[in-house]
Amino acid sequence: MKSNLSWVVGRGVNRNHYDAGWHSTSTVGVIGAAAACGRLLNLTAQQMTHALSLAVTMASGPKVQFGTMAKPFHAGMAAKNAILAARFAQAGMEASSCALEGAMGFRDLYAGAQAQGWDTLIQHIGQPLAIEEFGFSLKLYPCCGSTHRVVNCVIALREQHGFTAEDVEKVDTYVEYANKKNLMYTEPTSEMEARFSMNYCVAVALLQGGLTLSDFTLDAIARPDVRALLPIVMMDAYPQNEGELEPTKRLPHHVKITLKDGTVYEASSQWAKGTIHHPMSEQELAAKFTQCCADQFDANTLTSLQQQLADIANVDNITAISRLISNLEPRD
């Protein structure tokens, strides 16, 4: 859903919008996705205006849902509402032509008058495409992206210096303001809460040098060795708006690990692994793919699917890949 319009709309209201507690994947995403749907439906300019306005009406999703099943539902809800907005506009439903920038519109209600708006951003639509400039942000670990830079640092320090979880006295982490707000569970009691817990993610990284899907189950989060490490992880944050006025920029996240013998190791990371600034290796991508799909396909299907996706630019017909993904047998 990260179309160019999503990027422009999001940049016009963030960071105020995100810091206030709105989940941009849902609120901004529905508007960008409605534009994409409208283009696929060949809507007229007037219909497209109505589609985007209707998407603003459907924009919702508070971050209070982080750590619950409602959080991933936000993405599906935004996609569904985007289709509805485009279809309703195609069918003749009308809406305000100033739903984004008008009084009591998206900017006023979702970000406040101090948000920069879009006057200086419109010229950047498609020049270049946002996906070309910023790329996808692929998640190496199956947990909230707010933990990833710290987890990267913990794993790197562990590998570099060879200490174990038993050697660690304390882990101090320092993150951006919004990231700290996202990570609201110091002692998670469910799989979803664990995904939004810096304490849990760091504890697992200390114990095993990585995070996988199998670490986010009820049995995994109840492990005594993990629970014992939760209290030693501390988190603090930059003040609100420090260095965050430019939505595409990031402040480095810091980690300081103090061992029981008094030794201190520190590291910083500005970009999580998986971003265009810090891409995954081919091996890491392959491992991530296998981890996500191994329970869904047999070994032969998984290998075939991975090979075809790796060479998708040269695939003449997507039907074969679609059949593999849906696990359907070819029809005559």
Side-chain angles (χ1 to χ4, degrees):
M1 272 192 274
K2 196 166 185 176
S3 70
N4 247 66
L5 186 63
S6 287
W7 177 82
V8 169
V9 171
R11 193 170 179 185
V13 295
N14 278 317
R15 298 284 180 118
N16 308 72
H17 178 69
Y18 195 71
D19 285 353
W22 293 107
H23 184 196
S24 300
T25 294
S26 185
T27 56
V28 174
V30 66
I31 301 169
C37 291
R39 183 168 182 175
L40 291 172
L41 291 172
N42 293 317
L43 298 187
T44 65
Q46 186 178 41
Q47 288 173 326
M48 183 69 86
T49 298
H50 295 318
L52 297 182
S53 184
L54 290 168
V56 169
T57 287
M58 297 179 185
S60 61
K63 290 198 290 181
V64 70
Q65 300 293 7
F66 282 14
T68 75
M69 293 177 71
K71 189 269 184 181
F73 168 73
H74 284 174
M77 178 181 67
K80 179 205 73 173
N81 286 342
I83 295 170
L84 289 176
R87 288 291 193 186
F88 286 154
Q90 185 184 45
M93 183 177 286
E94 298 178 349
S96 171
S97 62
C98 56
L100 283 168
E101 73 280 11
M104 297 183 291
F106 188 75
R107 184 180 68 174
D108 276 3
L109 295 178
Y110 287 70
Q114 69 272 32
Q116 69 167 311
W118 303 280
D119 290 344
T120 62
L121 296 171
I122 299 300
Q123 60 184 317
H124 296 294
I125 293 181
Q127 300 179 8
L129 293 174
I131 195 172
E132 295 175 338
E133 184 175 358
F134 303 107
F136 283 113
S137 292
L138 303 175
K139 287 187 173 181
L140 182 57
Y141 315 112
C143 50
C144 179
S146 294
T147 69
H148 285 211
R149 282 177 271 174
V150 165
V151 169
N152 287 341
C153 289
V154 170
I155 293 172
L157 289 172
R158 182 180 183 271
E159 292 176 350
Q160 180 180 355
H161 300 289
F163 58 81
T164 68
E166 291 183 355
D167 299 324
V168 178
E169 179 74 24
K170 187 172 66 168
V171 180
D172 292 297
T173 69
Y174 196 71
V175 301
E176 291 179 271
Y177 175 82
N179 298 126
K180 185 176 186 293
K181 289 187 69 176
N182 291 345
L183 303 173
M184 43 186 104
Y185 303 98
T186 57
E187 296 185 3
T189 59
S190 71
E191 306 99 309
M192 291 303 297
E193 287 183 2
R195 297 178 192 273
F196 292 85
S197 171
M198 181 69 85
N199 303 64
Y200 180 79
C201 293
V202 168
V204 175
L206 284 173
L207 282 165
Q208 58 196 42
L211 292 157
T212 68
L213 286 170
S214 62
D215 294 312
F216 296 93
T217 66
L218 284 176
D219 288 341
I221 66 174
R223 290 166 49 190
D225 55 350
V226 174
R227 307 304 297 189
L229 293 172
L230 299 183
I232 73 169
V233 181
M234 308 295 171
M235 180 170 53
D236 203 351
Y238 293 95
Q240 186 176 11
N241 293 328
E242 182 175 332
E244 295 184 340
L245 296 180
E246 169 51 69
T248 62
K249 304 299 181 184
R250 295 291 181 269
L251 294 171
H253 286 190
H254 301 286
V255 175
K256 182 172 76 172
I257 297 178
T258 303
L259 303 187
K260 293 174 181 176
D261 65 5
T263 303
V264 174
Y265 297 118
E266 297 186 58
S268 298
S269 176
Q270 187 171 5
W271 300 99
K273 184 172 285 190
T275 60
I276 195 172
H277 310 278
H278 190 185
M280 296 185 206
S281 67
E282 291 296 324
Q283 293 78 11
E284 287 169 330
L285 280 170
K288 173 78 174 181
F289 180 85
T290 300
Q291 181 190 142
C292 291
C293 299
D295 291 340
Q296 306 300 319
F297 304 104
D298 61 64
N300 290 335
T301 301
L302 183 62
T303 299
S304 177
L305 180 59
Q306 191 165 7
Q307 290 173 344
Q308 291 188 63
L309 289 173
D311 192 41
I312 196 167
N314 296 314
V315 172
D316 294 327
N317 191 326
I318 203 72
T319 301
I321 294 178
S322 298
R323 285 173 174 158
L324 283 174
I325 293 174
S326 61
N327 211 23
L328 295 175
E329 291 296 327
R331 297 180 179 179
D332 295 333

